[in-house]
Amino acid sequence: METNSSALISLLLFLSVLLLFGYINNNFFSVNSSPKFEYTTVFSVPIVELQTKAISISTSSDHHHDDPILTVHNSAAPSNNTTVLTVTKNVKKKKKKNVKLSKEEEEMEHGLARARATIRKAASLTGNISRIVADGDENDVAGTIYLNARAFYQSYMEMEKRFKVHVYSEGELPIVHDGPCKDIYTIEGRFIHEMEHGAKRFKTRDPRRAHVYFMPFSVTWMVKYLYKPLTYDHTAMKQFVADYVRVVSSKYPFWNRTQGADHFMLSCHDWGPHASHGNPFLYNTSIRVLCNANSSEGFSPRKDVSLPEIHLYGGNVPPKLISPPPATSPRPYLAFFSGGLHGPIRPILLDHWKGRDPDLQVYEYLPKDLDYYSFMLRSKFCLCPSGHEVASPRIVEAIYAECVPVILSDHYVLPFSDVLRWEAFAIQVNVSEIPRLKEVLISVPEERYRRLKEGLRAIRKHFVLNQPAKRFDVFHMILHSIWLRRLNLRLV
């Protein structure tokens, strides 16, 4: 009996040990098989997620640690509305296979994260603005011409410190690596030329160390060499662009890594947007730097860059506009415009004001005995209506002449509106207000007009083409707009 009892006790003890051992092991394995064990995979980037990552608009005004740096003020919208650049984070994963970023990519992303942090810190500071905004801008003027002077200046410094651009070598002259350097498309050729032969601080030959990739084809030269006149057929241009993207995407891994989100093209020709249709990712994902910045025709300020149209006859600034007269010089005319009946807005302007009022000097074509730039220099306001497309070279000409630009346009996203407060040096008048144009302009108080003139003098440097390029000039402002869009694109 005792033997049976002892056996029973031993059996119970043995079973208890087995159960206890099983409990421990079951709990151990359940811990190791829980989702928390996969936490480290958060730091790798799925291929599908990376390729489908896209920039999206957020209208939230809240500021969190992961908020994007760039706020784009869309001139086509009311002044109290802004569009904020951000990056879609909730991307549906289709594959479990993960790949890690290269060492160079990790270094770049860490550098961009540090840049974002310093820009946010600068934006929150208070103090004397004139100490951090360069080139002698007065304290109060600097505080009005920029959306946030401290953030802009810090961002510009970070750009000079970090930003690297790789220019693809593929393609042959004249359509690639060249462009027009005079007349109405000056900015297109001059930017390409500076990227090809200058910009040593920003250019890198090692594509692995580049933040963005420039496709240096010229749409203007495509129109000249590929387009059949009077056909309005853009097929040849779109095919050229499609072939170019196909070459660089098959030869290098960089396009496929982001579906072109860190690539950019630049065009001042009206048909630049049409050419970008050659590849759907170029149109929808890449950074398109365009003069024809029409938000109603696919231009997206969240990813695209508005390019100022600069018309330089012979490639140089007209002598009369190099040094405008002193601010105290008389300007006997209230406003001035001269131009052909292009597009839907100019006919309205000329119908109401051509030859109707001596204070508003409005011409279709200026008589040969009158000088265009002399009128700009003697007018308080320069009317800048859109033509066939939204951009107008008169805006930059007016800035040079210190003649306050009056923007008459629908859906035009103004250049550098990601950092500049256009209302500090220009006036935007709705097309519906053209019949009341004189009343609108006369109602501008003298003190406000004086401040607008001060703003023009302060921002002039941002619209000047220099050869070679100089700090804060138009070349560097274009790069800065591209830098901001890349700053808001996260690879991880």
Side-chain angles (χ1 to χ4, degrees):
M1 186 71 179
E2 291 181 357
T3 303
N4 292 337
S5 298
S6 299
L8 181 60
I9 293 172
S10 298
L11 178 62
L12 291 173
L13 289 173
F14 178 73
L15 291 174
S16 298
V17 170
L18 287 178
L19 289 171
L20 180 63
F21 180 79
Y23 174 81
I24 294 174
N25 278 277
N26 285 338
N27 278 277
F28 175 80
F29 288 120
S30 67
V31 169
N32 279 273
S33 61
S34 71
K36 292 181 181 180
F37 181 76
E38 299 177 355
Y39 179 76
T40 55
T41 63
V42 172
F43 298 101
S44 60
V45 183
I47 296 175
V48 174
E49 178 180 349
L50 191 60
Q51 290 183 344
T52 59
K53 194 170 285 280
I55 303 173
S56 65
I57 294 179
S58 169
T59 56
S60 172
S61 59
D62 298 332
H63 296 279
H64 305 289
H65 179 71
D66 290 328
D67 282 350
I69 295 297
L70 174 60
T71 299
V72 178
H73 285 245
N74 186 347
S75 62
S79 58
N80 62 335
N81 289 340
T82 60
T83 57
V84 182
L85 286 191
T86 185
V87 178
T88 300
K89 297 179 182 178
N90 298 322
V91 181
K92 185 177 181 180
K93 297 180 181 180
K94 297 182 180 180
K95 295 183 180 180
K96 293 184 178 181
K97 183 179 179 181
N98 296 327
V99 294
K100 291 185 178 181
L101 296 181
S102 67
K103 180 181 178 181
E104 293 84 2
E105 290 168 341
E106 287 183 348
E107 289 177 355
M108 286 192 297
E109 291 304 309
H110 290 158
L112 292 175
R114 289 191 290 270
R116 295 183 193 105
T118 59
I119 295 169
R120 289 192 183 97
K121 182 178 179 180
S124 66
L125 296 176
T126 59
N128 191 338
I129 297 177
S130 63
R131 293 180 181 176
I132 59 173
V133 176
D135 299 339
D137 289 343
E138 295 181 4
N139 181 27
D140 55 349
V141 175
T144 61
I145 65 174
Y146 302 109
L147 298 173
N148 187 310
R150 298 175 184 84
F152 165 62
Y153 190 74
Q154 185 63 45
S155 177
Y156 190 94
M157 296 301 103
E158 293 291 337
M159 177 187 76
E160 288 189 322
K161 178 181 178 181
R162 305 177 188 278
F163 197 35
K164 295 298 178 184
V165 181
H166 179 69
V167 182
Y168 281 121
S169 61
E170 282 67 28
E172 298 180 359
L173 295 170
I175 296 178
V176 189
H177 311 296
D178 191 23
C181 292
K182 59 182 180 180
D183 297 330
I184 197 167
Y185 302 123
T186 297
I187 190 70
E188 181 175 310
R190 293 281 284 269
F191 184 91
I192 294 173
H193 187 273
E194 187 68 30
M195 285 305 310
E196 292 279 358
H197 306 291
K200 293 181 180 180
R201 178 195 293 266
F202 301 101
K203 192 165 58 175
T204 177
R205 293 190 177 185
D206 185 354
R208 296 170 301 175
R209 299 191 176 277
H211 296 94
V212 296
Y213 303 84
F214 179 39
M215 298 175 286
F217 49 71
S218 168
V219 175
T220 302
W221 280 174
M222 289 184 204
V223 175
K224 181 177 180 179
Y225 294 106
L226 301 178
Y227 171 68
K228 294 182 180 179
L230 303 179
T231 63
Y232 297 97
D233 185 356
H234 307 130
T235 303
M237 293 182 293
K238 290 191 286 187
Q239 187 60 54
F240 184 95
V241 170
D243 291 341
Y244 195 90
V245 172
R246 188 178 301 112
V247 168
V248 298
S249 63
S250 60
K251 188 174 181 179
Y252 307 103
F254 310 108
W255 175 277
N256 296 324
R257 182 182 61 183
T258 63
Q259 294 289 24
D262 53 1
H263 286 58
F264 75 97
M265 61 165 284
L266 180 142
S267 172
C268 197
H269 197 281
D270 290 350
W271 292 348
H274 294 293
S276 69
H277 272 287
N279 181 280
F281 289 105
L282 173 59
Y283 185 87
N284 293 303
T285 308
S286 298
I287 302 167
R288 300 179 305 155
V289 186
L290 303 171
C291 284
N292 190 3
N294 189 332
S295 62
S296 71
E297 296 179 354
F299 183 91
S300 175
R302 61 188 170 85
K303 72 173 189 68
D304 297 329
V305 172
S306 179
L307 183 66
E309 190 169 305
I310 302 177
H311 191 177
L312 297 183
Y313 297 95
N316 299 306
V317 176
K320 290 185 177 181
L321 300 184
I322 293 177
S323 299
T328 56
S329 297
R331 291 185 178 249
Y333 304 119
L334 179 63
F336 166 69
F337 170 77
S338 175
L341 290 173
H342 307 310
I345 297 176
R346 294 187 187 183
I348 301 173
L349 175 64
L350 269 69
D351 181 59
H352 282 89
W353 295 107
K354 178 184 175 183
R356 298 292 183 89
D357 193 311
D359 290 336
L360 274 68
Q361 294 290 313
V362 176
Y363 297 85
E364 183 175 355
Y365 293 105
L366 200 63
K368 292 183 178 180
D369 59 333
L370 299 179
D371 183 70
Y372 181 85
Y373 297 118
S374 295
F375 267 105
M376 298 190 87
L377 293 167
R378 300 187 69 198
S379 300
K380 295 178 67 176
F381 299 95
C382 286
L383 309 180
C384 304
S386 295
H388 288 306
E389 304 299 345
V390 290
S392 170
R394 287 167 182 78
I395 296 176
V396 175
E397 291 172 339
I399 292 171
Y400 291 169
E402 294 183 7
C403 177
V404 177
V406 179
I407 314 298
L408 299 168
S409 180
D410 288 327
H411 311 295
Y412 183 30
V413 180
L414 292 164
F416 314 137
S417 52
D418 38 27
V419 294
L420 296 181
R421 291 182 64 249
W422 275 81
E423 60 267 31
F425 54 89
I427 292 177
Q428 189 159 4
V429 177
N430 292 331
V431 175
S432 61
E433 294 293 294
I434 288 178
R436 298 180 53 249
L437 190 56
K438 183 175 181 178
E439 179 184 347
V440 171
L441 298 180
I442 288 178
S443 67
V444 176
E446 192 61 33
E447 175 60 20
R448 186 190 176 198
Y449 176 74
R450 183 186 66 81
R451 300 285 290 181
L452 290 168
K453 290 286 294 292
E454 290 177 352
L456 284 174
R457 286 192 291 274
I459 59 94
R460 176 190 173 102
K461 62 179 174 287
H462 295 321
F463 291 87
V464 172
L465 273 168
N466 295 298
Q467 199 171 15
K470 298 179 181 179
R471 297 182 75 217
F472 293 101
D473 68 1
V474 69
F475 172 79
H476 289 93
M477 291 297 287
I478 296 166
L479 271 187
H480 183 260
S481 289
I482 298 168
W483 153 255
L484 286 179
R485 275 117 184 114
R486 178 59 181 89
L487 201 60
N488 284 291
L489 176 67
R490 292 169 172 81
L491 298 184
V492 293

